[in-house]
């Protein structure tokens, strides 16, 4: 009988999607408010792991973490796009402050490159496809649209 409470607590945590597996994620990932979280190790653990989950908007994403649990990229699953607002907490303030930052876009992918560069690709509010690159200090390095 003395083991009943721990078993109930364990069973309850496993019944709530993402609770049992999400507790060891970096704060940058947990701050995104993901639900239905699954964690998968990469073939070689020293290269990190992949986190699959659902953003507050309902979009399914895959987040690649490096071996130090830094976010390498966030990518939409399937043909889904996610609102750029869902990952705003990951973007440095100088980049968010750039007039070219497409705050109302939906993304297919955001990559965090060496030196703090950020690459994004997706669709602007008018549906036009785009890709852009920003330096960590907010400088726009490239902005291309298809159309």
């Amino acid at each position: 009988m003395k083991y009943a409470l721990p078993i109930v607590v364990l069973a309850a945590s496993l019944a709530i999607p993402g609770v049992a597996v999400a507790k060891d994620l970096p704060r940058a990932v947990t701050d995104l408010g993901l639900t239905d979280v699954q964690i998968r190790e990469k073939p070689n653990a020293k290269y990190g792991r992949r986190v699959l989950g659902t953003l507050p908007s309902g979009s399914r994403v895959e987040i690649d973490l490096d071996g130090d649990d830094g976010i390498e990229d966030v990518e939409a699953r399937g043909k889904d796009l996610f609102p750029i607002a869902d990952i705003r907490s990951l973007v440095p303030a100088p980049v968010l402050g750039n007039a070219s930052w497409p705050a109302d876009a939906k993304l297919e992918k955001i990559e965090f490159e060496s030196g703090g560069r950020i690459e994004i690709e997706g669709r602007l509010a008018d549906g036009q496809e785009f890709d852009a690159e920003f330096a960590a200090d907010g400088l726009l390095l490239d902005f291309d649209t298809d159309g």
Side-chain angles (χ1 to χ4, degrees):
M1 189 65 171
K2 66 180 178 179
Y3 298 110
L5 183 59
I7 290 172
V8 170
V9 170
L10 176 62
S13 69
L14 293 174
I16 301 170
V19 170
V21 293
K23 66 182 176 182
D24 68 337
L25 291 174
R27 184 177 180 120
V29 174
T30 58
D31 285 351
L32 293 175
L34 294 173
T35 57
D36 304 318
V37 176
Q38 299 174 16
I39 300 173
R40 297 186 181 148
E41 297 296 325
K42 291 182 180 175
N44 187 332
K46 74 178 183 179
Y47 295 117
R49 53 195 174 150
R50 290 188 175 94
V51 178
L52 295 109
T54 304
L55 291 167
S57 65
S59 301
R60 295 281 300 156
V61 294
E62 178 178 289
I63 301 170
D64 278 333
L65 300 176
D66 63 22
D68 295 322
D69 269 350
I71 297 175
E72 293 179 332
D73 63 58
V74 179
E75 187 169 1
R77 301 281 294 162
K79 295 182 186 231
D80 204 8
L81 298 174
F82 56 91
I84 206 164
D86 277 1
I87 51 85
R88 180 180 171 87
S89 64
L90 302 177
V91 182
V95 175
L96 293 173
N98 185 305
S100 296
W101 179 253
D104 55 355
K106 290 195 173 203
L107 298 181
E108 179 180 332
K109 186 175 193 174
I110 181 168
E111 295 181 65
F112 301 92
E113 302 291 334
S114 62
R117 288 182 309 129
I118 295 175
E119 295 181 23
I120 57 175
E121 55 188 79
R123 292 189 178 270
L124 298 171
D126 64 6
Q128 190 174 30
E129 291 183 15
F130 80 99
D131 58 74
E133 184 176 352
F134 293 84
D137 64 2
L139 178 67
L140 176 63
L141 301 172
D142 188 35
F143 200 103
D144 294 321
T145 57
D146 294 339

